[in-house]
């Protein structure tokens, strides 16, 4: 499963009506009277590719409701469990709503909704923070990581009274492909580009992927920078020795703007074009 698909199963990207805590259900569902009173709500397993139901996730909340106990601890634990199972927040709240309708005959208490939502969000953030900041195929840093490192540079420059445009720059590489090149071959070329960048910029420079077609190195403005760029160009051109057709690429030094905000816009522009 791709990284995007893995994140998407945790965050429901489909448009949905917001939950009305005053009483109306979050989305249209069968009336409570048509449900078996003993039926427990369930989280769908479709994000994992396995159809079926899960009756166990909400049992703690159901027991608290029947016993007249505080539902907050049970809702908190349920939110964490559903997030770990890959259930979206919309589906988790739908299950909570179904539970309340079947047991209490109404919509969920605000305290239960808040506890479940908060714990679901916290567990999901922990998962996202554990993800690698590198593209799994090329090993290049993500655009978000490159943006974060740029932000650190601007903050450090402000404290030291220096100028990021004078101390750093981006070396941007855009491979040029003949017509008919497949997306898979484009990805393999970026793998080669990443390796060439690592050979030349082997210090603490950040090497990142910018959009689908480009790679960039955030480097210091060393006097040898033009020579390093020429070396990168030569490596990329001659990297594949098993073909008579050289790999061509546009390679240039991109100056950085005077502010962190403008630097972010520059990265966005490089990723789009």
């Amino acid at each position: 499963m791709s990284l995007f698909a893995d994140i998407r199963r945790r965050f429901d990207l489909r448009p949905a009506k917001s939950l009305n805590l005053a009483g109306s259900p979050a989305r249209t569902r069968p009336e409570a009277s048509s449900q078996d009173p003993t039926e427990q709500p369930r989280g769908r397993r479709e994000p994992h590719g396995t159809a079926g139901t899960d009756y166990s996730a909400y049992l703690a909340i159901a027991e608290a409701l029947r016993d007249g106990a505080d539902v907050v601890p049970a809702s908190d634990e349920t939110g964490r469990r559903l997030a770990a199972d890959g259930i979206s927040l919309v589906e988790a709240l739908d299950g909570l709503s179904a539970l309340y309708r079947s047991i209490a005959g109404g919509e969920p208490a605000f305290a239960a909704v808040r506890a479940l939502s908060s714990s679901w969000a916290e567990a999901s953030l922990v998962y996202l923070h554990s993800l690698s900041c590198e593209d799994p195929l090329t090993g290049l840093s993500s655009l978000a990581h490159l943006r974060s490192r740029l932000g650190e540079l601007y903050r450090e420059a402000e404290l030291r009274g220096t100028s990021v445009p004078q101390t750093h720059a981006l070396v941007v590489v855009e491979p040029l492909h003949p017509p008919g090149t497949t997306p898979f071959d484009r990805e393999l070329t970026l793998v080669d580009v990443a390796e060439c960048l690592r050979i030349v910029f082997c210090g603490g420079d950040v090497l990142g992927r910018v959009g689908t077609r480009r790679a960039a190195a955030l480097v210091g403005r060393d006097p040898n920078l033009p020579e390093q760029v020429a070396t990168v160009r030569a490596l990329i051109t001659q990297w594949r020795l098993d073909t008579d057709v050289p790999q061509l690429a546009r390679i240039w030094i991109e100056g950085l703007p005077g502010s962190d905000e403008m630097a972010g816009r520059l990265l966005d522009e490089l990723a789009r074009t």
Side-chain angles (χ1 to χ4, degrees):
M1 178 179 292
S2 69
L3 180 61
F4 174 76
D6 194 29
I7 294 177
R8 179 164 184 154
R9 69 183 175 83
R10 291 178 170 271
F11 292 92
D12 193 347
L13 301 182
R14 299 166 296 175
K17 296 180 180 179
S18 60
L19 183 68
N20 186 341
L21 300 182
S24 61
R27 63 170 72 164
T28 305
R29 297 179 68 92
E31 296 298 327
S33 59
S34 64
Q35 298 180 354
D36 184 344
T38 63
E39 181 183 0
Q40 300 294 332
R42 50 197 179 271
R44 296 188 310 178
R45 294 297 182 171
E46 290 152 32
H48 292 285
T50 306
T53 60
D54 176 17
Y55 294 96
S56 61
Y58 295 85
L59 285 180
I61 302 178
E63 292 174 359
L65 282 174
R66 293 193 179 104
D67 296 341
D70 184 5
V71 297
V72 170
S75 300
D76 183 88
E77 179 58 29
T78 297
R80 297 180 191 279
R81 179 172 179 178
L82 292 174
D85 286 345
I87 304 302
S88 74
L89 181 58
V90 171
E91 291 170 322
L93 291 175
D94 281 349
L96 183 66
S97 180
L99 175 68
Y100 265 77
R101 287 200 302 271
S102 65
I103 295 180
E107 287 301 303
F110 175 77
V113 172
R114 179 176 181 178
L116 186 145
S117 301
S118 297
S119 62
W120 183 95
E122 181 178 318
S124 297
L125 284 175
V126 169
Y127 167 78
L128 288 176
H129 290 162
S130 69
L131 294 175
S132 172
C133 62
E134 293 184 349
D135 177 55
L137 179 62
T138 64
L140 294 170
S141 297
S142 66
L143 183 62
H145 180 68
L146 186 58
R147 191 190 307 272
S148 176
R149 179 59 186 137
L150 266 173
E152 292 175 358
L153 286 178
Y154 279 92
R155 288 190 293 273
E156 291 172 2
E158 185 177 359
L159 291 174
R160 297 176 181 178
T162 58
S163 171
V164 173
Q166 294 179 3
T167 59
H168 289 78
L170 290 172
V171 175
V172 183
V173 180
E174 179 184 339
L176 301 177
H177 301 281
T181 304
T182 65
F184 179 71
D185 287 335
R186 292 175 184 269
E187 290 295 303
L188 290 181
T189 299
L190 272 181
V191 173
D192 293 341
V193 167
E195 190 61 30
C196 294
L197 286 172
R198 288 191 193 94
I199 292 174
V200 177
F201 302 109
C202 55
D205 305 303
V206 178
L207 310 180
R209 180 165 183 165
V210 185
T212 60
R213 301 184 296 118
R214 292 173 176 161
L218 177 58
V219 301
R221 279 193 175 275
D222 189 275
N224 296 325
L225 183 57
E227 181 180 345
Q228 291 174 313
V229 171
T231 303
V232 170
R233 180 179 287 106
L235 281 174
I236 292 175
T237 302
Q238 304 173 21
W239 189 255
R240 287 292 177 184
L241 300 178
D242 56 352
T243 176
D244 295 331
V245 180
Q247 174 62 59
L248 303 180
R250 291 180 58 214
I251 305 175
W252 70 94
I253 300 174
E254 184 76 41
L256 292 170
S259 69
D260 184 15
E261 180 180 359
M262 293 302 297
R265 294 181 183 179
L266 172 62
L267 287 180
D268 291 339
E269 185 66 22
L270 289 172
R272 281 195 298 268
T273 57

